[in-house]
Amino acid sequence: MGSEIDTLVLVLSSDETKATALKVIDAGSYDYFIKPIDTDVLRHLLERAVEKLHIQRENRILRQEISRKSTHGDLIGSTDAMSHVFDSIKRMARATTNVIIRGESGVGKELVARALHEQSPRRNRAFVSVNCAALPEGLMEAELFGYEKGAFTGAVAAKEGRVETAHQGTLFLDEIATLTPALQSKLLRVLEDRSFTRLGGKKSIKVDFRLISATNEDLEEMVREERFREDLYYRIHVVPIFVPSLRERVEDIPVLTDYFVSVYCAANGFPAKRIADDAMLALKRYPWPGNVRELQNAIQRLVIMTDGDQISLKDLPSEIVQASGRDSRNRFRLPSAGINLDKEMEAFERRWLQEAMEQAKQVKAEAARLLGVDRNRLNYLCRKYNL
């Protein structure tokens, strides 16, 4: 039976043989019963079947809704910070200009790249995504530019690279800052000449692709330290799109959470679950160093591991509950890789400003009082953070 049909078949028969029951079940029957059957039992079975039908139908509708998600794909948000991202995508989608997406790990940079592609004239061509940090230099060169038969030991047949696959489409280079100097030089030549040569090859291959790159590194500092080519920087950094961290868009957390709960309930065939108010408050107070990706993984675990139709504070991992407290030391635990203090201070300042404006119901005089600043300082902060 097709999953798109809102029908469940229950078979009631006087045939008691196991072979018949197995055939009926294999043919798509929901259940098989031997006559006679008690009417109360039958009523219960029918009620259970109808409930299952409703769940299947809700899940199918949700999957359809997810598959035809908005033009921004899985990018979700209603804050000013995300509205600016959506506006940038809309403005840049139809252009041919190179775009670089900046932001911390886990904020959804590839989702922005896919949205740019899906709204572009190249939408019916390939979207080729390459994680530049995933492979060592030798393999990355072959992955990007392909190779001819016999180019190196093990190259038993020619293979086209990702650059070639992206012809007339979009090439997305994630973590582009990890490219070695040699690969940076080769990529620069491709962008200048719009042609390249496979490893071990002599023939120049013409390509036409739109380049979108992404990084969470400080490219400007890398250029100053000569770890990233300045000429390549200007080639890829024509139009930057800055994707905010999750702690900069706290008011999007309930929307994202509800979406992920719906997705994972549907994916696992569970009835709809909801996040209790106390749990949602803790999720909003947690700093989410891993951003949206961390939130998504956390919600997936909660959906699978929590019984019942409600996820409450007691179901949350201890690190989220503890870090959501005002005096939590976890919030100030310094990661081994270090931090960018200026960015952290700005995020902290923005968060308190948002909290004050929300509590003051957008009345600036009251928000200024809550923060202990004068009205001019508050106006400056609101302009600084587009609030």
Side-chain angles (χ1 to χ4, degrees):
M1 294 177 63
S3 60
E4 299 301 310
I5 301 174
D6 286 333
T7 306
L8 286 179
V9 176
L10 290 84
V11 175
L12 190 62
S13 172
S14 57
D15 189 336
E16 299 182 9
T17 59
K18 185 180 295 184
T20 301
L22 290 174
K23 285 181 181 178
V24 169
I25 298 296
D26 287 341
S29 171
Y30 173 61
D31 218 333
Y32 179 84
F33 306 99
I34 307 299
K35 293 192 294 187
I37 186 170
D38 184 273
T39 54
D40 289 336
V41 173
L42 181 60
R43 184 182 298 107
H44 173 72
L45 293 172
L46 291 173
E47 287 173 352
R48 190 179 67 180
V50 169
E51 181 182 1
K52 181 178 177 65
L53 265 180
H54 286 159
I55 293 172
Q56 284 183 346
R57 184 171 184 273
E58 288 173 2
N59 288 347
R60 192 186 73 244
I61 291 171
L62 180 58
R63 289 191 187 99
Q64 290 171 347
E65 181 182 335
I66 293 168
S67 69
R68 61 170 182 265
K69 200 78 181 115
S70 71
T71 52
H72 297 123
D74 286 332
L75 278 173
I76 296 171
S78 57
T79 56
D80 289 342
M82 285 306 294
S83 294
H84 183 69
V85 172
F86 296 147
D87 183 60
S88 298
I89 292 171
K90 184 178 179 180
R91 288 174 181 273
M92 293 310 305
R94 301 195 65 81
T96 58
T97 311
N98 292 338
V99 174
I100 186 165
I101 304 165
R102 309 287 296 264
E104 297 177 9
S105 179
V107 294
K109 294 187 290 295
E110 183 167 351
L111 295 179
V112 174
R114 288 185 180 276
L116 282 165
H117 174 74
E118 291 300 327
Q119 295 184 52
S120 78
R122 298 172 182 263
R123 68 177 67 88
N124 294 322
R125 300 290 182 171
F127 175 85
V128 180
S129 177
V130 183
N131 185 333
C132 298
L135 294 171
E137 180 182 2
L139 295 178
M140 179 54 66
E141 186 174 8
E143 184 74 13
L144 280 174
F145 303 107
Y147 52 83
E148 298 292 350
K149 181 180 179 180
F152 50 83
T153 304
V156 296
K159 179 186 176 184
E160 69 176 31
R162 299 296 189 91
V163 168
E164 199 171 342
T165 305
H167 180 58
Q168 296 185 333
T170 301
L171 177 65
F172 174 56
L173 298 183
D174 196 8
E175 300 194 55
I176 193 170
T178 62
L179 287 179
T180 62
L183 285 176
Q184 290 178 34
S185 297
K186 193 161 186 176
L187 176 61
L188 179 62
R189 287 196 299 273
V190 174
L191 294 176
E192 290 174 340
D193 302 339
R194 289 292 165 178
S195 64
F196 71 99
T197 305
R198 289 178 181 173
L199 290 181
K202 298 179 180 178
K203 177 184 173 185
S204 180
I205 301 172
K206 287 285 185 184
V207 283
D208 167 32
F209 60 85
R210 201 257 183 100
L211 176 67
I212 301 174
S213 49
T215 184
N216 59 1
E217 300 287 344
D218 186 342
L219 274 186
E220 292 75 19
E221 182 66 22
M222 292 182 69
V223 170
R224 285 192 293 271
E225 295 176 354
E226 298 184 350
R227 291 185 292 127
F228 197 86
R229 291 185 64 117
E230 186 175 14
D231 42 9
L232 178 58
Y233 170 84
Y234 287 116
R235 277 280 180 177
I236 67 174
H237 209 280
V238 180
V239 177
I241 295 178
F242 296 91
V243 185
S245 63
L246 191 53
R247 64 183 173 276
E248 294 177 275
R249 43 184 291 224
V250 174
E251 294 312 311
D252 283 334
I253 289 177
V255 182
L256 285 162
T257 299
D258 289 343
Y259 171 64
F260 291 138
V261 168
S262 298
V263 167
Y264 291 115
C265 282
N268 292 282
F270 297 156
K273 297 186 178 186
R274 65 174 293 272
I275 304 287
D277 292 344
D278 57 354
M280 186 64 78
L281 184 60
L283 294 176
K284 290 179 68 176
R285 287 178 173 173
Y286 182 66
W288 298 108
N291 291 297
V292 179
R293 186 186 297 129
E294 183 185 5
L295 174 64
Q296 180 176 358
N297 291 340
I299 297 304
Q300 183 178 15
R301 290 194 301 271
L302 286 169
V303 166
I304 294 172
M305 301 303 295
T306 303
D307 295 326
D309 61 357
Q310 179 169 275
I311 297 170
S312 61
L313 186 64
K314 65 179 177 58
D315 299 312
L316 300 186
S318 59
E319 63 269 20
I320 293 179
V321 176
Q322 292 169 4
S324 67
R326 288 184 179 273
D327 299 324
S328 171
R329 293 184 180 179
N330 288 351
R331 179 174 300 189
F332 297 101
R333 181 176 293 164
L334 191 66
S336 58
I339 61 168
N340 183 316
L341 184 59
D342 288 338
K343 287 184 178 178
E344 292 294 328
M345 293 299 290
E346 285 186 356
F348 189 74
E349 190 175 54
R350 180 190 178 94
R351 174 69 186 275
W352 280 116
L353 182 62
Q354 287 176 321
E355 291 280 346
M357 289 294 288
E358 182 178 334
Q359 188 169 328
K361 296 181 171 56
Q362 308 305 312
V363 178
K364 289 185 177 180
E366 175 62 11
R369 186 191 69 78
L370 290 170
L371 292 173
V373 299
D374 60 36
R375 182 65 181 270
N376 289 334
R377 175 80 185 282
L378 188 85
N379 287 334
Y380 163 73
L381 291 174
C382 287
R383 288 195 303 272
K384 180 180 179 180
Y385 297 113
N386 296 317
L387 295 178

